[in-house]
Amino acid sequence: MSSRFVNPFTDIGFKIIFGQPASKELLIVLLNELLSGEHHIEDLTFLDKEDRSENIHDKGIIYDLYCRTSTGEYIIVEMQNRWHSHFLDRTLYYVCRAVSRQMENPLSKEVRVPDTPAEENCGILREGEVSYGLRYRLPAVYGIFLMNFKEDGLERKFRTDTVLSDRDSGRVVNRNFRQIYLQFPYFTKELDECSTLSDKLMYALKNMNNWNRMPDALKEQVFSHLDRLAAKAHLSEGDRIAYDKAVDRYNVSRIVENDIREQAIAEGKAAGKAEGRLEIARKLKDSGFSIADIARITELSPEEMDKL
């Protein structure tokens, strides 16, 4: 039976849930749970998701979600359904691009500075009135990446937080550059094990594509809001057509991945030799499988894997 809810791991499903004006309250709850103890968002504004490049050889960036909080921080939120090469490099580029844009944008030449050294209340100075150093005072930029795959460049765990810190002491050097990676294949909690709102939100995102109703245990108001936003029955005709096409692409990609995996297992067993398994491993690597998955499927030794 078809699910009542959109699949948040499709591009348009994610944007239906979190990227429309009616989603703002839900997005703020999600972000505050992820940033709990570090920052609290009262309000935010959705920004133009396209970062146009002035270089004719660079197509620029189209973020999934790009927003600014009422206190001046910038937040990029990306949903990535499938593995691709150099994913971590791309996320680094996204955040760095957002940081550099704060200096390049001629509309953001106002700098907020304290009225006096002892006061926290701030006044605003124009560019010509600001000292050289204060012109480089930047707002924080957060990159939050929800991943429906395992990334070999990260630890084998659900959440990875990256900061700019001293290698020896671990002390954070600059708090304005933050990345949060969420690898959903590593989120294995059952609903009765989810004691925090954050865990419940992650559980819902991972499993809601299989539901016909919200579980009774999800009683918080945020899940009533999620129910309304994500229900297929509430989509406009245009959104429903676009969503169905996105689901088709999602399902086809899954089928292709499974076919490659099954073929690799069959061919690996038939070959039986290290050289044959190496050839299968190369095909899997070219198809985007992780090193860990390749090793498990082909049963190659670490020394043999090094040949890849």
Side-chain angles (χ1 to χ4, degrees):
M1 184 178 293
S2 177
S3 168
R4 164 182 165 83
F5 304 108
V6 299
N7 184 343
F9 292 105
T10 60
D11 50 1
I12 191 170
F14 180 72
K15 292 168 187 174
I16 286 170
I17 295 173
F18 292 110
Q20 53 181 318
S23 310
K24 186 167 75 169
E25 179 184 341
L26 181 60
L27 179 60
I28 289 174
V29 171
L30 174 68
L31 295 176
N32 278 335
E33 287 300 310
L34 293 176
L35 300 176
S36 178
E38 177 180 353
H39 183 66
H40 184 79
I41 300 169
E42 295 290 344
D43 196 11
L44 57 77
T45 303
F46 289 103
L47 303 177
D48 185 353
K49 293 181 288 186
E50 182 174 2
D51 183 352
R52 300 172 182 84
S53 175
E54 296 176 357
N55 184 338
I56 61 174
H57 300 294
D58 186 352
K59 295 181 180 180
I61 297 172
I62 299 179
Y63 303 112
D64 284 347
L65 294 178
Y66 187 39
C67 48
R68 187 181 186 187
T69 71
S70 57
T71 49
E73 297 80 19
Y74 290 86
I75 300 180
I76 300 163
V77 186
E78 287 281 314
M79 169 65 80
Q80 183 69 31
N81 183 46
R82 296 185 63 191
W83 177 93
H84 67 74
S85 60
H86 307 295
F87 173 73
L88 297 181
D89 288 343
R90 179 164 71 86
T91 63
L92 177 63
Y93 175 70
Y94 276 17
V95 177
C96 288
R97 185 66 173 164
V99 171
S100 68
R101 274 304 194 195
Q102 312 319 314
M103 296 302 300
E104 296 172 10
N105 187 353
L107 298 179
S108 61
K109 294 299 186 180
E110 293 179 341
V111 179
R112 189 170 293 271
V113 297
D115 292 335
T116 70
E119 293 177 353
E120 293 186 359
N121 294 328
C122 293
I124 293 179
L125 296 179
R126 297 289 178 176
E127 182 180 17
E129 304 170 327
V130 177
S131 68
Y132 177 78
L134 283 175
R135 293 176 189 174
Y136 290 90
R137 184 174 183 176
L138 297 172
V141 175
Y142 294 88
I144 296 174
F145 305 98
L146 294 81
M147 305 151 58
N148 196 23
F149 62 93
K150 298 176 181 179
E151 167 58 52
D152 287 332
L154 299 175
E155 296 291 328
R156 296 181 179 182
K157 60 180 181 177
F158 172 57
R159 175 168 175 162
T160 298
D161 286 70
T162 68
V163 296
L164 293 176
S165 64
D166 179 83
R167 172 181 287 183
D168 295 329
S169 69
R171 179 178 177 272
V172 175
V173 175
N174 191 313
R175 298 184 180 278
N176 292 336
F177 187 96
R178 286 281 283 106
Q179 292 171 297
I180 298 173
Y181 296 96
L182 304 176
Q183 298 181 87
F184 275 85
Y186 289 117
F187 187 87
T188 57
K189 291 184 178 182
E190 297 298 331
L191 183 53
D192 59 2
E193 298 175 300
C194 297
S195 58
T196 66
L197 180 57
S198 177
D199 280 349
K200 292 177 182 178
L201 280 168
M202 298 303 111
Y203 179 85
L205 290 177
K206 182 171 183 176
N207 295 285
M208 62 187 292
N209 186 49
N210 300 315
W211 296 345
N212 286 313
R213 59 187 294 271
M214 282 287 168
D216 293 336
L218 300 179
K219 300 176 181 179
E220 291 86 348
Q221 178 62 30
V222 64
F223 295 105
S224 297
H225 195 31
L226 177 60
D227 188 310
R228 292 191 298 272
L229 286 170
K232 294 177 184 176
H234 296 166
L235 300 182
S236 66
E237 181 179 359
D239 281 347
R240 185 56 193 262
I241 292 173
Y243 173 71
D244 288 343
K245 290 181 179 178
V247 169
D248 286 342
R249 293 193 299 270
Y250 176 87
N251 290 335
V252 167
S253 69
R254 289 296 178 186
I255 291 171
V256 170
E257 288 178 3
N258 288 335
D259 285 348
I260 292 174
R261 185 185 297 271
E262 291 176 3
Q263 179 184 1
I265 293 173
E267 291 183 9
K269 289 179 178 178
K273 296 180 181 179
E275 195 58 39
R277 286 181 291 166
L278 273 175
E279 183 60 29
I280 298 302
R282 291 188 187 98
K283 291 181 180 180
L284 290 172
K285 185 172 183 291
D286 291 341
S287 299
F289 281 78
S290 70
I291 295 298
D293 283 340
I294 294 173
R296 179 173 54 78
I297 293 171
T298 61
E299 298 181 349
L300 289 172
S301 67
E303 292 76 15
E304 290 169 324
M305 291 294 295
D306 286 341
K307 296 180 182 180
L308 293 177

